[in-house]
Amino acid sequence: MTLLSVKHLSKHYEAFDLTDVSFQLEPGYIMGYIGRNGAGKTTTLKSLLGLIHPDSGTVTVDGLDFSKNERACKAMIGFACGGVSYYPRKRLKTITDVTRQFYDHWDESTYQDCLQRFELSEDKKINQLSEGMKLKYALALALSHNAKLLILDEPTSGLDPVSRDDLLTLFQKIIEDGEHSILFSTHITSDLERCADYITYIQDGHIIANQDKDSLLEAWRLISGKKTDLTPELARKMVGCQKNRFGFEGMIATGDLPQDPRYTVGNPDLEAIMVHIERKGETL
């Protein structure tokens, strides 16, 4: 069964429209949700969490319509974000004692296992934890009420490389049982290179890509060459083409790639794909 299904989600604001957003996530996978600031990621996540009410569309969690079963759906969702904010002088035990009261299916055994696994002490105060440990604590709370779907908003933002690597490894372990899934919104696309199975790309409130990561990477190639070799036909096929006095460079669909030794061709990463799609093709 599909764990998360988003169909035709739309929300109108005076200066922005989220339009016909649709995607789905099966159990046991990580989906990266990418797009530049203001593209609609936060509006989508707020809709999934019931913080705003979309004008149209449906959100289904493990087969349940969110609008009709909000309490049950929220019990299956765990949310964590970078820069987690708790009462800084409170001990973890105090925060947990309050949190567990909100969930009918709190599993104390799972919580204690998470504390041991994440090397967390309930006697520590929040202000004694690093940003990475704060996020691990948020994940411990989410996993302990049997949340099947984890929604992570910029979870690795501000973390050092070692802490980021540790958390990415943890995310992959969480989904190994085939029952949990993660929706991972981030600007650090290199993190998604490490752990994501699928990529959903939103631009100006519209989904422009929704496919497995490897297929998205295979769909594009970087191309560059001398300025005199940039033909009008090639320029029309390129995305984010830029020229300077030395030559040109841009991105092109793999199927449109010319078989010509004059051009230098390379494989883009997710960051390069995003940069070229958002680039307006201005001439330098």
Side-chain angles (χ1 to χ4, degrees):
M1 178 182 291
T2 300
L3 184 54
L4 173 65
S5 177
V6 179
K7 294 184 178 179
H8 311 298
L9 203 66
S10 296
K11 179 68 177 180
H12 172 71
Y13 292 104
E14 184 174 342
F16 174 77
D17 284 303
L18 188 75
T19 306
D20 199 29
V21 168
S22 298
F23 58 86
Q24 64 182 35
L25 181 58
E26 304 292 332
Y29 294 99
I30 297 175
M31 175 179 285
Y33 196 40
I34 64 174
R36 67 185 307 170
N37 289 337
K41 299 191 303 299
T42 299
T43 302
T44 303
L45 296 186
K46 284 184 176 180
S47 297
L48 299 183
L49 296 167
L51 300 178
I52 63 172
H53 297 287
D55 298 326
S56 60
T58 60
V59 175
T60 303
V61 180
D62 202 25
L64 296 178
D65 187 323
F66 191 99
S67 64
K68 298 176 182 178
N69 304 274
E70 184 170 343
R71 181 180 174 86
C73 288
K74 283 185 173 180
M76 291 188 284
I77 297 174
F79 175 73
C81 63
V84 179
S85 180
Y86 295 108
Y87 292 105
R89 297 182 182 275
K90 295 295 183 181
R91 298 187 188 279
L92 271 59
K93 185 180 187 304
T94 302
I95 296 173
T96 302
D97 287 343
V98 174
T99 302
R100 64 161 58 90
Q101 298 178 43
F102 290 94
Y103 297 101
D104 297 330
H105 302 290
W106 180 269
D107 188 329
E108 186 64 22
S109 176
T110 299
Y111 173 66
Q112 294 298 328
D113 287 345
C114 286
L115 290 182
Q116 184 175 3
R117 179 181 181 183
F118 300 160
E119 299 180 339
L120 291 165
S121 170
E122 279 196 302
D123 293 328
K124 285 287 186 84
K125 295 180 180 180
I126 290 295
N127 61 9
Q128 295 176 310
L129 302 181
S130 67
E131 291 302 314
M133 295 305 285
K134 289 178 186 178
L135 181 59
K136 286 184 177 181
Y137 177 59
L139 289 171
L141 294 179
L143 293 171
S144 299
H145 65 80
N146 292 317
K148 295 182 178 180
L149 172 65
L150 300 181
I151 297 178
L152 310 179
D153 187 15
E154 299 288 343
T156 58
S157 177
L159 299 183
D160 63 80
V162 176
S163 297
R164 281 172 51 206
D165 182 77
D166 185 29
L167 284 171
L168 294 177
T169 300
L170 173 61
F171 297 160
Q172 291 174 313
K173 289 182 178 179
I174 287 173
I175 65 165
E176 281 180 354
D177 61 6
E179 297 180 0
H180 295 84
S181 292
I182 297 176
L183 179 62
F184 186 168
S185 171
T186 184
H187 289 103
I188 307 176
T189 52
S190 59
D191 288 349
L192 299 180
E193 299 266 4
R194 275 277 316 275
C195 69
D197 301 292
Y198 296 94
I199 300 294
T200 297
Y201 188 160
I202 188 168
Q203 182 184 55
D204 298 328
H206 298 265
I207 298 297
I208 62 170
N210 179 25
Q211 60 195 114
D212 67 270
K213 179 186 65 183
D214 292 339
S215 294
L216 179 60
L217 292 171
E218 185 62 30
W220 298 100
R221 290 291 182 268
L222 300 177
I223 184 171
S224 60
K226 296 179 180 179
K227 191 173 182 179
T228 54
D229 294 331
L230 179 60
T231 65
E233 180 183 5
L234 179 60
R236 285 193 298 269
K237 294 179 179 179
M238 292 177 63
V239 176
C241 179
Q242 289 194 330
K243 295 181 289 184
N244 56 41
R245 61 193 182 93
F246 300 106
F248 72 92
E249 65 90 17
M251 189 171 71
I252 190 169
T254 302
D256 292 332
L257 188 65
Q259 301 300 313
D260 193 319
R262 292 180 297 172
Y263 305 122
T264 300
V265 177
N267 297 324
D269 55 16
L270 289 176
E271 181 175 340
I273 290 174
M274 187 173 175
V275 166
H276 283 82
I277 288 177
E278 298 295 340
R279 183 187 285 173
K280 302 305 180 183
E282 299 170 350
T283 300
L284 298 177

